[in-house]
Amino acid sequence: MKLSLRIWRQKDRNTPGRFVTYEVDGVTPDMSFLEMLDVLNEDLTTRGEEPIAFEHDCREGICGSCGFLIDGVPHGPRRHTTVCQLHMRFFKDGDALTLEPWRARAFPIVRDLVVDRSAFDRIIQAGGYITAPTGSAPDANAILVPKEAADTAFDAAACIGCGACVASCPNAAAMLFTAAKVAHLNSLPQGQPERDERTLNMVAAMGREVFGTCSNHGECEAVCPKGIPLEFIAALNRDVIGAAFRRRREPLHVLGAPQHPAHDDACESDSAQKESST
Ligand code: SF4
Ligand code: FES
């Protein structure tokens, strides 16, 4: 097979980019898309040209490193398939394809097809954990996990943090990613002690990054290689409302987020009481 690839080339985030067209020959149907790019890169390197920068690690669809737009679709034309698991048998000899990086302000370009997705890491750092004593292994049945909760948590944990949901969203929202990460721990008994704080902190962290807001287009679900459903966004919205309501009675510290008016009222009345008692 021979392909014509129009690929976005950009040296770094401060240098303007442009599309460059390359012809790739000798592509076989059992190559993955990344292996096809490896062939192109070997050719470019042999000719003394800069190879195409693209991200990858596992090449098994589980690490979330890879991903770019193929003809405008994150991870390309196959549903529930990462670009590393996309095989050339799904393309035809003579196809002309356009490859470009995720387009989102929150994901600045590093080089060519590579973007900086550390905004996702900062959302995880805000609450994607549980507090538990470490040391010797606990008994397996110390905290029983209902089957339904385990299934929900497992489905949410399937998110590999690739960023396709952001790249496909007309608002570049990170709701599907954040919803999956919150639901993973909020579904489990072990995640309950920090449930409200986690929900509010992770949503606040999402708000601090330059992601857009969700307007229910559903593009994220359509392109997600792991089939994360929109239901997790609905669950996140319910969790946020519940957490905010409980916070009226017991204010939580939300990192960097504006405090709820009830919290401000409570603080003001605390200060007034302190002043009147001195
Ligand atoms: S929700 Fe899906 S598309 Fe978004 S980061 Fe997770 S795996 Fe990727
Ligand atoms: S390289 Fe790991 S998911 Fe594609």
Side-chain angles (χ1 to χ4, degrees):
M1 280 164 70
K2 190 172 177 184
L3 298 174
S4 176
L5 301 179
R6 195 166 150 262
I7 303 179
W8 185 259
R9 303 301 313 259
Q10 185 167 349
K11 190 162 169 274
D12 54 51
R13 70 183 62 171
N14 301 317
T15 310
R18 69 195 169 98
F19 282 107
V20 179
T21 301
Y22 299 94
E23 306 297 324
V24 199
D25 208 350
V27 177
T28 61
D30 49 347
M31 279 180 183
S32 73
F33 206 91
L34 298 190
E35 285 167 342
M36 181 273 293
L37 287 181
D38 290 340
V39 170
L40 171 61
N41 275 347
E42 275 179 30
D43 189 35
L44 290 176
T45 312
T46 309
R47 296 201 312 248
E49 293 181 35
E50 274 293 318
I52 316 288
F54 61 90
E55 231 183 317
H56 63 98
D57 187 9
C58 70
R59 296 200 179 203
E60 292 179 344
I62 53 173
C63 76
S65 312
C66 66
F68 44 78
L69 301 166
I70 302 174
D71 286 346
V73 181
H75 291 292
R78 295 276 301 169
R79 268 180 83 78
H80 300 167
T81 307
T82 54
V83 79
C84 61
Q85 288 286 292
L86 178 66
H87 286 84
M88 298 314 296
R89 56 180 168 270
F90 300 114
F91 298 89
K92 296 191 304 295
D93 184 36
D95 272 355
L97 306 172
T98 298
L99 314 187
E100 52 186 319
W102 294 160
R103 303 290 191 187
R105 258 182 78 203
F107 292 160
I109 288 187
V110 175
R111 191 181 183 93
D112 298 339
L113 303 177
V114 179
V115 298
D116 177 354
R117 288 171 296 152
S118 56
F120 272 7
D121 298 336
R122 291 187 285 277
I123 294 174
I124 295 288
Q125 283 164 2
Y129 51 81
I130 61 163
T131 302
T134 55
S136 59
D139 287 343
N141 62 352
I143 301 178
L144 298 177
V145 181
K147 174 76 167 66
E148 198 181 328
D151 287 348
T152 306
F154 191 81
D155 288 347
C159 167
I160 54 174
C162 63
C165 45
V166 175
S168 66
C169 175
N171 309 323
M175 276 294 272
L176 195 63
F177 165 79
T178 307
K181 296 303 175 191
V182 169
H184 170 202
L185 296 175
N186 280 10
S187 306
L188 295 169
Q190 291 87 342
Q192 298 313 306
E194 291 150 312
R195 180 178 186 139
D196 288 352
E197 205 159 355
R198 168 184 311 109
T199 304
L200 295 173
N201 284 346
M202 290 181 78
V203 169
M206 179 177 69
R208 284 194 297 276
E209 304 296 335
V210 281
F211 293 111
T213 47
C214 177
S215 48
N216 295 319
H217 279 72
E219 293 289 331
C220 51
E221 182 188 61
V223 302
C224 174
K226 295 295 147 183
I228 302 293
L230 289 178
E231 281 78 4
F232 284 125
I233 294 184
L236 175 62
N237 286 333
R238 286 195 296 274
D239 272 358
V240 167
I241 291 168
F245 177 75
R246 284 184 287 277
R247 199 173 138 218
R248 288 172 68 92
R249 288 176 288 159
E250 188 183 307
L252 292 170
H253 174 62
V254 180
L255 299 169
Q259 293 296 303
H260 191 282
H263 178 258
D264 296 339
D265 294 348
C267 292
E268 276 167 24
S269 90
D270 276 0
S271 331
Q273 274 176 8
K274 273 181 200 147
E275 274 171 25
S276 65
S277 63
T278 51

